């Protein structure tokens, strides 16, 4: 086989691979989310776990909510009082090492925010209605912001690095991908023709129209930025080119950048010593008695 035929073969295999996976993913996710509610949830795009290398990304990780977030042009909802409730990740699902990383990811966000954003374990006793369910689905994805009710945050295989987990939690806190900012064209060039397909482009690279940047400048090193070759047809074809310096490496999945921290503090109206200025919910609204009518959980003993 000469090298041209070989390349052609690889391309075909590649195409089959990329075309088959999204549909399995949608079905899988729809199935698993139907257990939660009637929301038809599908991740916008399957993460390229196979492309993940040190500092590389797991992409396409925003879970749309019944079409509402499909264009990602809805202002995400903040968690009242900066309190994020989550269901304890199961030890039957995740190894203790992964659970350590989940715990550390949350601790990093809390510390960076100056204790303004806190994560609290949801229990049946506290009966919180809105909370994150950390699951092991296919790929890494999350809803953006607090959507109401239990909301999945998936950490599938290849999603266990602390930085990747922080990235997903930032989505859940209401942060979108940096490269979809309304003003992105002043900072990066998106090479549409190098993106795997139009579908992938539409789901992962479209510029947001409604977007609050909270006055934080565009951030190339954000934990929420895609890499230079994200969703590329080939690793040699860049999909995102930084305008200030074409060879600048974009994004990372190691830690919160200082710009990520600034953004979080603005979003959650963090005041040192005073916590978040996002109004707390009326606690009666979230009490166990009103919660018990919710179909997912039964009162103990029934
Ligand atoms: C936890 O995250 C670190 C990176 O911060 C990574 O090196 C390590 O492999 C992760 N642990 C597990 C169990 O995946």
């Amino acid at each position: 086989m000469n090298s041209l035929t070989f390349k052609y073969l690889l391309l075909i295999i590649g195409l089959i691979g990329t075309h088959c996976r999204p549909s399995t993913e949608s079905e899988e996710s729809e199935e698993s989310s139907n257990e939660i509610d009637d929301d038809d949830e599908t991740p916008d795009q399957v993460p390229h776990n196979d492309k993940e290398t040190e500092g590389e990304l797991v992409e396409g990780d925003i879970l749309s909510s019944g079409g509402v977030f499909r264009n990602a042009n809805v202002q995400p909802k903040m968690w009242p009082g900066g309190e994020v409730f989550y269901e304890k990740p199961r030890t039957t699902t995740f190894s203790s090492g992964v659970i350590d990383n989940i715990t550390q990811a949350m601790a990093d966000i809390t510390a960076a925010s100056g204790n303004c954003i806190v994560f609290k374990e949801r229990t049946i006793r506290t009966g919180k209605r809105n909370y994150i369910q950390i699951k092991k689905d296919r790929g890494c994805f999350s809803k953006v912001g607090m959507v109401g009710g239990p909301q999945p945050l998936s950490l599938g295989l290849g999603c266990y690095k602390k930085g990747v987990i922080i990235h997903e939690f930032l989505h859940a806190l209401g942060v979108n991908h940096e490269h979809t900012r309304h003003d992105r064209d002043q900072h990066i060039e998106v090479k549409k023709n190098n993106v795997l397909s139009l579908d992938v482009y539409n789901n992962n690279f479209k510029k947001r129209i409604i977007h609050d940047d909270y006055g934080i400048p565009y951030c190339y090193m954000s934990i929420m930025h895609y890499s230079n070759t994200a969703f590329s047809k080939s690793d040699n074809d860049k999909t995102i080119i930084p305008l200030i310096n074409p060879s600048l490496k974009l994004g990372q999945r190691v830690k919160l950048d200082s710009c990520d921290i600034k953004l979080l503090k603005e979003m959650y109206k963090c005041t040192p010593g005073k916590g978040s200025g996002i109004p707390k919910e009326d606690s009666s609204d979230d009490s166990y008695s009103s919660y018990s009518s919710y179909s997912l959980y039964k009162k103990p003993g029934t």
Side-chain angles (χ1 to χ4, degrees), residues 95 97-98 101 160-163:
S95 73
V98 174
N101 275 2
Y160 301 149
K161 269 178 62 175
K162 189 174 78 173

Side-chain angles (χ1 to χ4, degrees), residues 209-224:
I209 296 160
I210 299 173
H211 179 104
D212 192 345
D213 59 26
Y214 293 88
I216 311 295
Y218 194 89
C219 183
Y220 295 106
M221 289 309 289
S222 168
I223 201 163
M224 304 311 281

Side-chain angles (χ1 to χ4, degrees), residues 8-26 43-51 59 138 194-201 203-204 229-235:
Y8 189 61
L9 208 87
L10 278 183
L11 184 70
I12 293 172
I13 295 169
L15 286 176
I16 293 169
T18 50
H19 281 138
C20 292
R21 287 193 303 156
S23 59
T24 6
E25 175 68 12
S26 318
D44 282 354
Q45 180 61 41
V46 181
H48 282 210
N49 290 342
D50 48 345
K51 264 189 158 183
E59 308 284 7
R138 285 213 200 155
N194 290 343
V195 176
L196 268 175
S197 67
L198 188 61
D199 208 37
V200 169
Y201 176 84
N203 285 325
N204 300 286
T229 55
F231 285 114
S232 174
K233 284 176 182 161
S234 94
D235 282 344

Side-chain angles (χ1 to χ4, degrees), residues 54 95-99 101 104 160-163 165 253-254:
E54 193 55 41
S95 73
S96 62
V98 174
I99 291 181
N101 275 2
Q104 281 176 32
Y160 301 149
K161 269 178 62 175
K162 189 174 78 173
I165 303 172
R253 294 296 178 271
V254 181

Side-chain angles (χ1 to χ4, degrees), residues 67 71 100 144 171 185 199 202 209 223 266-267 290:
N71 297 316
D100 279 352
V144 178
H171 279 318
D185 293 337
D199 208 37
N202 286 337
I209 296 160
I223 201 163
E266 284 298 321
M267 282 175 77
S290 69

